[in-house]
Amino acid sequence: MLNTAQKTEASGTEHELTDGFHLVIDALKLNGIDTVYGVPGIPITDLGRMAQAAGIRVLSFRHEQNAGYAASIAGFLTKKPGVCLTVSAPGFLNGLTALAHATTNCFPMILISGSSEREIVDLQQGDYEEMDQLAIAKPLCKAAYRVLHAQDIGIGLARAIRAAVSGRPGGVYLDLPAKLFAQVMNADAGAKSLVKVIDAAPAQLPAPAAVKRALDVLKSAKRPLIILGKGAAYAQADDAIRTLVEKSGIPFLPMSMAKGLLPDTHPQCAGAARSTVLKDSDVVMLIGARLNWLLSHGKGKTWGDQPKKFIQVDIEPKEMDSNVEIAAPLVGDVGSCVTALLEAMGGNWPAAPADWVNAVKTKREENVAKMAPRLMNNKSPMDYHGALGALRTIIKERPDAFLVNEGANTLDLARGVIDMYQPRKRLDVGTWGVMGIGMGYAIAAAVETGKPVLAVEGDSAFGFSGMEIETICRYNLPVCVVIFNNDGIYRGTDINSAGHDPATTVFVKGARYDKMIEAFGGIGINATTPDELKRAVNAAMDSGKPTLINAVIDPAAGSESGRIGNLNPQSVLKKK
Ligand code: ADP
Ligand code: TPW
Ligand code: MG
């Protein structure tokens, strides 16, 4: 409804009016969307202002990609679509990477972009920021809609919400042309046109026969394994999943963002025996995890010579048999499937085979013991293990803090070293291994939950979203960014032997990223030893003040592409 009650005389009676701006805001609020991430400009500047005035939290970023990543992870954390608001063509395109990322990672998100005049765009007459955004968005998201009339705003948003969160969650594009915002209609009719989405992500129950089949396969196992993926984390069925794991006694392996669903220190956690369990298991139950590249497509050397049978719990039927045969597909939402499994298991489910459970336990203890001394070294400059040893203790002492993590070595080593204790606390590069999620994720985690955030960032990774430290300072968010500064991508030691330019993978030597945040009133600290690092992070987490710590890492410590160097193509001519 219009703020200053505007009235018209129509057939002798007074009518209150509303317009496109207000209908969009009312529709968001009606559906419980209370936070929006974006960058202002024509035609959505006033929408942002009015949304803020109407009590929606509007987080203004420095680049749409970061706002989009923030929205995507807000969706993962809340099971409501995260909303990113951008201007037309360039702003839309900047947000589009994040929309595609949300779709790829199965996070619910809505990218709302203003767009130019349809009549001019379609005739390609060169409008301000002209682009056929709807057509461009379509292949990169689950669904894309455009609203042309104010009376359709309610339906348009309802469709976007339902598409984003139902079934396999993903990104949705909503195109709102500039003209729409100014369209006026009768306020009563406007209010009636809004749609409150009822049961946006309905439970999807698995068929009883499929549950029985899954349990029959599981029962036949000699060396069973449960793999938990970020779909399981998203489902927020934490208690049921924990009960299933404990009741079955089966070792579990958490994928990166499923760490903490059960604590990494849980006696059944096989995280530290990853290669063994993948190789030697005979029955593998996937819960909300795809057999994509992150699991070597379910075949090859990683999976060893033992014949495998897979049970897969997933909401997306098409995921079954995507890479290998799935012996027992269980299609439904994780909560319903796990509950159905538990019910069908009954009271006397046999214990998991003891020799297998013990073999996994022994391997895990061996690996943990091997790693321990490396994590305690106090070298300066630091190596990854020394620095991560310090951060590992911090998360142990502050298990409700978020850990945002990106980089190559900084990512792969932190994933292995830093134990997680609570669900959905580890947020990282996800399915694409994308650099640039860091500050957007950190901001959204702090905004959506009010919890402290520790962002552990490679120096390259940080560069993709680094300007958002201003945003962190502006909103005074409890975010502590630690930059693992090894002077470059993978290593800081590469040399270009053919000319004066620096090698392609190196940055300014000895850069002081801590100075950047001081420009915005945050706290900057240079840490050269694990002890210094630990002190600085603890102080930051205690104070809750925006802090950036430049952790000086030995430029020679990392390896090419971290743990996935094997994916680099090799030229036969390379080292002539
Ligand atoms: P990871 O990278 O952790 O292995 P993936 O992103 O590959 O996880 O897989 C997540 C899977 O979880 C997707 O196939 C998706 O369809 C599924 N999923 C997402 N939400 C749910 C849910 N609520 N119930 C069941 N499956 C889900
Ligand atoms: C959007 C390719 C993968 S990892 C990485 C790049 C550029 C940076 C690694 O250096 P960093 O970490 O962060 O300093 P470290 O500890 O190993 O030195 N563009 C995008 N995504 C990806 N993944 C890349 C490029 C890449
Ligand atoms: Mg680096």
Side-chain angles (χ1 to χ4, degrees), residues 384 458-460 484 486 488-490:
Y384 286 92
D459 52 339
S460 165
F484 275 28
N486 64 344
I489 299 175
Y490 315 138

Side-chain angles (χ1 to χ4, degrees), residues 161-162 165-167 197-202:
I161 292 171
R162 200 174 275 287
V165 297
S166 62
V197 181
I198 311 292
D199 196 11

Side-chain angles (χ1 to χ4, degrees), residues 147-457:
V147 182
L148 292 177
H149 304 293
Q151 64 268 29
D152 292 332
I153 287 173
I155 281 292
L157 192 76
R159 300 213 74 190
I161 292 171
R162 200 174 275 287
V165 297
S166 62
R168 170 183 276 176
V172 175
Y173 175 60
L174 189 61
D175 193 85
L176 302 183
K179 269 191 186 168
L180 176 77
F181 295 112
Q183 275 179 31
V184 170
M185 70 183 284
N186 174 290
D188 282 343
K192 285 195 190 112
S193 74
L194 299 183
V195 176
K196 186 167 165 58
V197 181
I198 311 292
D199 196 11
Q204 287 183 224
L205 274 65
V211 175
K212 181 174 181 310
R213 188 191 297 119
L215 288 180
D216 287 345
V217 174
L218 196 62
K219 221 179 232 170
S220 74
K222 296 198 170 59
R223 295 175 306 280
L225 172 67
I226 294 175
I227 297 183
L228 301 172
K230 59 180 166 316
Y234 173 80
Q236 298 195 13
D238 307 341
D239 290 344
I241 289 171
R242 188 179 183 127
T243 308
L244 176 73
V245 169
E246 291 182 344
K247 186 169 177 176
S248 69
I250 297 172
F252 72 94
L253 183 67
M255 299 300 286
S256 198
M257 280 177 57
K259 276 164 69 83
L261 212 41
L262 286 86
D264 283 331
T265 48
H266 191 283
Q268 285 166 255
C269 181
R274 187 177 196 273
S275 355
T276 302
V277 290
L278 291 181
K279 241 198 263 109
D280 295 346
S281 53
D282 64 347
V283 169
V284 180
M285 182 191 262
L286 299 154
I287 305 183
R290 285 170 287 187
L291 280 176
N292 57 15
W293 71 280
L294 286 158
L295 283 170
S296 307
H297 306 281
K299 52 199 171 190
K301 259 205 309 211
T302 310
W303 290 88
D305 308 323
Q306 301 288 346
K308 308 272 175 202
K309 279 192 178 159
F310 289 97
I311 303 164
Q312 183 160 24
V313 176
D314 205 291
I315 202 158
E316 174 59 64
K318 290 202 299 289
E319 190 55 41
M320 305 299 154
D321 311 317
S322 62
N323 287 268
V324 297
E325 178 186 285
I326 301 299
L330 195 54
V331 175
D333 68 282
V334 164
S336 301
C337 289
V338 171
T339 305
L341 286 168
L342 281 170
E343 273 166 17
M345 280 163 89
N348 52 354
W349 185 257
D355 49 345
W356 165 245
V357 170
N358 288 333
V360 176
K361 184 165 166 269
T362 308
K363 187 75 203 168
R364 161 200 161 134
E365 282 166 2
E366 247 173 59
N367 288 345
V368 168
K370 239 188 269 169
M371 178 78 91
R374 300 184 68 187
L375 300 176
M376 278 155 41
N377 89 69
N378 206 28
K379 276 190 222 151
S380 179
M382 295 180 269
D383 63 16
Y384 286 92
H385 288 89
L388 289 169
L391 300 182
R392 166 189 163 94
T393 312
I394 285 166
I395 292 295
K396 186 174 180 185
E397 289 164 357
R398 302 169 190 270
D400 69 336
F402 281 91
L403 178 68
V404 170
N405 190 200
E406 59 177 337
N409 293 279
T410 305
L411 175 88
D412 291 345
L413 296 172
R415 186 196 297 118
V417 168
I418 302 181
D419 286 331
M420 303 306 295
Y421 302 85
Q422 293 181 10
R424 296 170 294 282
K425 294 293 185 182
R426 186 186 153 83
L427 310 176
D428 69 23
V429 298
T431 304
W432 269 343
V434 66
M435 298 298 112
I437 49 88
M439 297 306 102
Y441 274 23
I443 291 167
V447 164
E448 297 288 338
T449 70
K451 300 277 187 222
V453 180
L454 175 62
V456 179
E457 301 271 314

Side-chain angles (χ1 to χ4, degrees), residues 117-128 130:
E117 225 170 295
R118 283 257 44 84
E119 292 79 352
I120 303 182
V121 173
D122 287 349
L123 277 170
Q124 298 174 34
Q125 293 173 313
D127 201 5
Y128 168 71
E130 173 180 300

